Amino acid sequence: MGSKPLSKADAYNRAAAKCSLGEQCSSDIYNKCVSWGLSEKESREVVDMLIDERFIDDHRFAGAFTRDKIRYQGWGKIKIAYYLRIKGIDSHTIRDAANSISDEEYFDALKKIIQSKLKSIPASKSPLQIRSALARYASSRGFESGLIFMAIDEVLTPCDTECDEYLD
């Protein structure tokens, strides 16, 4: 690449600054250190120092990543878990992060993306085609199939819960 490798101290300072700006996982910082020209051993040492000083915490990262992806990108737990595994986060930490989101907030996020997608489906489509398109879309966003169909039913029949008392 032509650029001079960073010293271990410079890499530490740069990584600490990066961690101060936002949550980072240990594997991302490790890879960044290697790209800056540090050996694998030095990179591991920098990451360990950052962990000791609480600049890096994979539990904290996984929780923030999960909350942000559900709230702002409309991702489901399946897609989030996949991306966290790619980043080297252990399954226990992933499970804890997924469980930190309330069922109500998660279901509301799912309904929101279904309602958004529903607006883009032509009215000329049959009810079966509409349901199918909504299910495919929600599935591609990483939501669980059982929840998807519950949310579709709720979105397509909005007065179900309010009208029950009148149907008796």
Side-chain angles (χ1 to χ4, degrees), residues 129-148:
Q129 289 173 319
I130 292 171
R131 291 176 79 75
S132 179
L134 293 173
R136 275 193 314 274
Y137 180 71
S139 180
S140 76
R141 300 299 289 262
F143 287 92
E144 299 84 347
S145 59
L147 283 177
I148 290 171

Side-chain angles (χ1 to χ4, degrees), residues 14-28:
R14 241 194 226 186
K18 186 171 180 58
C19 292
S20 295
L21 294 174
E23 291 296 337
Q24 303 290 322
C25 67
S26 55
S27 64
D28 284 349

Side-chain angles (χ1 to χ4, degrees), residues 65-76 79-80 109 112-113 137 141 143:
F65 184 88
T66 300
R67 282 187 302 280
D68 288 352
K69 293 302 177 184
I70 288 173
R71 290 179 185 155
Y72 304 118
Q73 275 79 36
W75 287 12
K79 188 171 185 175
I80 292 168
K112 184 178 171 185
I113 68 152
Y137 180 71
R141 300 299 289 262
F143 287 92

Side-chain angles (χ1 to χ4, degrees), residues 147-167:
L147 283 177
I148 290 171
F149 292 110
M150 285 173 46
I152 290 172
D153 288 343
E154 202 168 299
V155 167
L156 294 180
T157 55
C159 92
D160 263 0
T161 54
E162 293 88 18
C163 299
D164 281 348
E165 63 191 50
Y166 301 109
L167 297 176

Side-chain angles (χ1 to χ4, degrees), residues 102-127:
S102 75
D103 293 340
E104 183 180 340
E105 179 182 0
Y106 188 62
F107 195 67
D108 288 345
L110 173 57
K111 287 192 314 187
K112 184 178 171 185
I113 68 152
I114 288 173
Q115 290 165 338
S116 173
K117 179 65 177 174
L118 184 59
K119 293 174 187 173
S120 70
I121 299 174
S124 61
K125 298 250 184 195
S126 73

Side-chain angles (χ1 to χ4, degrees), residues 1-6 14 31-38:
M1 290 183 105
S3 63
K4 183 180 165 195
L6 292 179
R14 241 194 226 186
N31 292 335
K32 190 56 91 173
C33 288
V34 170
S35 76
W36 290 333
L38 267 62

Side-chain angles (χ1 to χ4, degrees), residues 24-121:
Q24 303 290 322
C25 67
S26 55
S27 64
D28 284 349
I29 296 298
Y30 173 83
N31 292 335
K32 190 56 91 173
C33 288
V34 170
S35 76
W36 290 333
L38 267 62
S39 69
E40 290 181 10
K41 181 180 183 252
E42 289 175 320
S43 297
R44 187 78 244 155
E45 289 170 359
V46 167
V47 168
D48 288 343
M49 286 190 299
L50 291 168
I51 289 171
D52 289 344
E53 295 179 15
R54 304 225 357 106
F55 279 103
I56 298 175
D57 183 335
D58 283 345
H59 256 85
R60 197 174 60 215
F61 169 80
F65 184 88
T66 300
R67 282 187 302 280
D68 288 352
K69 293 302 177 184
I70 288 173
R71 290 179 185 155
Y72 304 118
Q73 275 79 36
W75 287 12
K77 291 178 181 178
I78 295 170
K79 188 171 185 175
I80 292 168
Y82 173 77
Y83 277 91
L84 287 173
R85 276 193 297 276
I86 288 174
K87 290 188 172 288
I89 307 296
D90 67 89
S91 59
H92 177 72
T93 302
I94 293 171
R95 198 173 323 111
D96 287 348
N99 291 337
S100 71
I101 301 296
S102 75
D103 293 340
E104 183 180 340
E105 179 182 0
Y106 188 62
F107 195 67
D108 288 345
L110 173 57
K111 287 192 314 187
K112 184 178 171 185
I113 68 152
I114 288 173
Q115 290 165 338
S116 173
K117 179 65 177 174
L118 184 59
K119 293 174 187 173
S120 70
I121 299 174

